[in-house]
Amino acid sequence: MTPPATGILKPFALRVHPHLYEIDTWAWLEKLSAPLGRLIKLADVPDAEWDAIARLGFDIVWLMGVWQRSPESRRIKLGNPANHAEFDRALPGWKPEDIVGSPYAVAQYVPDPRIGTWESLDAVRAKLRARGMALFLDFVGNHTALDHPWAREHADFYVHGTAEDFERDPGSFYKIETPRGVFYPAYGRDPYFPPWDDVAQLNHFSPQMRAAQMADLRTIASHCDGVRCDMAMLHLHEIFEKIWGHLLHGASAPPREFWAKAHAAVPNLILLAEAYWGTESRLLDLGFSFVYDKGLYDAVRGIQMPDVHAQMAAPAAYQSRLARFLENHDEDRCAAVFGKDRRTSVGTLMGTLPGMRFYHQGEIEGASVRLPITLRIGADEPADPASTAFFTRLLRITRDEVFHRGEWNLLSVTPEGDDTAGNLVAYEWRSEKAWKVISINLAGSASQGRVHFGERALAAKDYVFYDELNDVRYIRSADELRSPGLFVRRDGFDAHLFSVFPA
């Protein structure tokens, strides 16, 4: 039985454009335990750890992977030789006991005994609240672990096939013997990839399953301020029916989308969607506060400048609900993908755009090896001082209220002397007290252009452009800013982050 949350907490009021920090909870606790020679759980985490996160300016701590893990998932992941190369990269010399199963094969929505208890989770939430931070947890609504209690007690909660389906396609179905007989749940899947072989696909058209899932979500909501919803678009009626309609035997969609009901049931819970395939606007309409911006990540990664410009031309109100990231537990490390050369450009972009600014444990320190979520710990990597200094400085700069309460505007950049202006992006943040101008070269070669500020009132004769990233000052006249515009030239993968004020 789940105990109630300790105390009634008011809904958490996030800053606009909040900063989120994702922690791989199991691996983090293992790392804290190693130098002490004893097992650290959530209740034992020193206050200094929470203080350090707060000092960096974070608004949200997402403790990824706190729920009870599946022994069957562990067995499957350990037994598949295809996983071993990834384990070797992250933890050379790993042993079977280092494999702990996937946090996205949830066996039950209770804290895993290795992590802690409901009481320790509530205590962490209170500590974060005292430091001005919210607690986010996971909600994995599309599927469960194969050994979740529902799999033996409620076969009707799942999409399933027949014995013939299992014999014909054993890579898509799992055999479970229950008190009521044998049934064959389908493995969960993203339609563009092979099935996930350690989870069973839930039937989102089952009213009984949706009611049970809503009860789980209410329980989770009583112990945190927000949830990151795994593969949230897979709940959508149209997508679910497209993937699984051939196994639904005529079952029809409920009258209301699950996420609309979820938002109504727990209106104070902040919902963050992992979302792809152009479903972002739809999920926002259904009640999500933020959705992943994978489109911008992919465009920046591939230096597809037309796509970058198109993404950034979306209305500011929409962009303020996008979660911008350079890495997370599903993506390769920022340091490995972008390298040291691109760190300034991509880091400045993702750290100063409107929306949720999403950082992953190890990103600030420049970790380059992605940790598989089924490993309990990774090999130690020495911190990169340059990466640490850059991201720490960027986080300090973006604590300024203008990046949270100011007005954001995309600025146009026109050619000046050559055809490289398309490699640049420029935008501003304005408030009554501050004016910031950011110009970034996302390409690998020097680029230049003129940045235009529209019909901005410029009362002073001259303005100081202080580059907070590079500690350099420039003086520019108001006449130049009006016409022909601010001239900017940046070397490849470089950026300006200007604080602008009258000379």
Side-chain angles (χ1 to χ4, degrees):
M1 182 176 180
T2 303
T6 55
I8 301 299
L9 298 178
K10 294 180 179 179
F12 191 90
L14 277 180
R15 283 193 303 179
V16 184
H17 317 297
H19 295 174
L20 176 145
Y21 187 57
E22 177 190 358
I23 294 175
D24 183 329
T25 310
W26 194 307
W28 183 56
L29 294 175
E30 293 286 341
K31 188 174 182 179
L32 293 177
S33 299
L36 298 176
R38 60 185 178 90
L39 200 66
I40 292 291
K41 296 188 178 185
L42 277 180
D44 310 310
V45 172
D47 286 352
E49 295 292 333
W50 308 120
D51 292 338
I53 296 170
R55 280 196 300 271
L56 286 170
F58 285 104
D59 304 280
I60 301 164
V61 172
W62 168 20
L63 291 179
M64 189 277 288
V66 305
W67 305 125
Q68 184 175 316
R69 301 203 187 192
S70 158
E72 184 66 358
S73 171
R74 178 186 178 277
R75 183 192 67 79
I76 291 168
K77 296 303 182 186
L78 179 59
N80 186 349
N83 296 324
H84 293 181
E86 188 178 34
F87 298 159
D88 291 338
R89 285 192 295 271
L91 188 63
W94 60 274
K95 299 177 178 62
E97 55 265 31
D98 294 318
I99 311 306
V100 294
S102 170
Y104 294 99
V106 176
Q108 287 193 85
Y109 282 109
V110 296
D112 192 283
R114 170 62 188 93
I115 305 296
T117 63
W118 288 115
E119 289 77 10
S120 59
L121 200 58
D122 291 338
V124 166
R125 184 187 185 193
K127 289 183 177 184
L128 293 176
R129 282 288 192 101
R131 291 161 175 80
M133 296 186 289
L135 173 63
F136 275 33
L137 301 173
D138 292 293
F139 179 65
V140 187
N142 181 65
H143 48 261
T144 72
L146 297 166
D147 45 0
H148 189 288
W150 289 353
R152 282 163 177 78
E153 298 168 5
H154 298 285
D156 56 311
F157 284 10
Y158 295 88
V159 174
H160 54 87
T162 63
E164 291 74 20
D165 293 325
F166 176 74
E167 292 295 330
R168 184 180 65 255
D169 186 8
S172 295
F173 298 90
Y174 184 76
K175 181 179 180 180
I176 296 180
E177 295 184 5
T178 78
R180 298 183 180 181
V182 177
F183 96 108
Y184 302 90
Y187 290 129
R189 68 178 304 164
D190 170 334
Y192 300 102
F193 294 93
W196 302 309
D197 61 1
D198 63 341
V199 295
Q201 176 65 48
L202 289 166
N203 180 2
H204 301 310
F205 288 180
S206 164
Q208 294 79 15
M209 189 285 292
R210 282 165 56 117
Q213 197 168 59
M214 201 68 71
D216 278 341
L217 187 59
R218 287 191 181 95
T219 297
I220 296 168
S222 68
H223 296 275
C224 66
D225 305 295
V227 289
R228 180 267 194 186
C229 299
D230 186 68
M231 298 295 282
M233 71 284 180
L234 294 180
H235 282 75
L236 296 175
H237 291 168
E238 180 181 0
I239 290 175
F240 178 73
E241 188 162 28
K242 184 177 181 180
I243 300 171
W244 298 110
H246 65 291
L247 293 174
L248 296 180
H249 309 295
S252 59
R256 194 175 183 193
E257 291 277 6
F258 174 82
W259 293 120
K261 292 195 69 174
H263 178 57
V266 284
N268 295 324
L269 188 68
I270 304 163
L271 300 177
L272 164 63
E274 180 192 18
Y276 311 115
W277 317 333
T279 59
E280 295 85 354
S281 293
R282 176 68 175 139
L283 291 167
L284 291 173
D285 289 343
L286 291 173
F288 279 89
S289 297
F290 301 97
V291 295
Y292 274 33
D293 189 3
K294 184 68 157 55
L296 183 61
Y297 171 83
D298 287 339
V300 170
R301 179 171 180 165
I303 319 180
Q304 302 296 320
M305 292 309 300
D307 293 338
V308 172
H309 289 298
Q311 290 285 118
M312 294 180 60
Y318 171 71
Q319 295 206 54
S320 69
R321 300 177 69 185
L322 299 177
R324 322 286 195 163
F325 56 84
L326 294 174
E327 66 170 74
N328 56 58
H329 68 263
D330 289 315
E331 305 288 349
D332 288 330
R333 287 291 195 177
C334 169
V337 171
F338 299 102
K340 297 178 180 179
D341 291 342
R342 298 180 67 184
R343 178 171 56 220
T344 297
S345 61
V346 298
T348 302
L349 180 75
M350 296 301 188
T352 60
L353 283 174
M356 175 182 283
R357 294 137 192 177
F358 181 148
Y359 293 83
H360 182 215
Q361 181 185 13
E363 177 182 350
I364 294 168
E365 297 81 8
S368 61
V369 180
R370 177 176 170 270
L371 176 66
I373 55 177
T374 50
L375 270 181
R376 69 174 186 88
I377 196 169
D380 284 334
E381 281 192 77
D384 177 350
S387 178
T388 304
F390 169 76
F391 283 112
T392 301
R393 187 170 196 173
L394 182 65
L395 283 162
R396 176 183 57 77
I397 292 169
T398 52
R399 292 188 75 166
D400 192 304
E401 279 300 296
V402 71
F403 289 103
H404 300 273
R405 297 186 179 276
E407 177 187 355
W408 180 84
N409 296 290
L410 184 65
L411 302 174
S412 65
V413 184
T414 56
E416 176 66 24
D418 60 26
D419 62 354
T420 59
N423 297 328
L424 301 171
V425 294
Y427 45 92
E428 65 178 354
W429 288 93
R430 279 181 175 256
S431 68
E432 292 183 0
K433 297 180 179 179
W435 182 16
K436 308 286 183 178
V437 173
I438 296 95
S439 65
I440 302 167
N441 180 9
L442 290 170
S445 56
S447 303
Q448 62 188 37
R450 292 277 180 179
V451 178
H452 302 276
F453 299 97
E455 300 299 321
R456 297 292 180 197
L458 299 169
K461 180 182 178 182
D462 298 301
Y463 285 84
V464 175
F465 281 72
Y466 171 55
D467 187 340
E468 296 185 73
L469 289 178
N470 301 293
D471 195 22
V472 179
R473 293 172 183 261
Y474 306 88
I475 304 292
R476 294 292 182 266
S477 71
D479 288 340
E480 178 190 351
L481 301 184
R482 293 187 188 99
S483 181
L486 176 70
F487 176 75
V488 295
R489 176 182 172 83
R490 286 281 81 189
D491 289 337
F493 303 134
D494 207 350
H496 285 304
L497 200 168
F498 291 123
S499 181
V500 187
F501 46 90

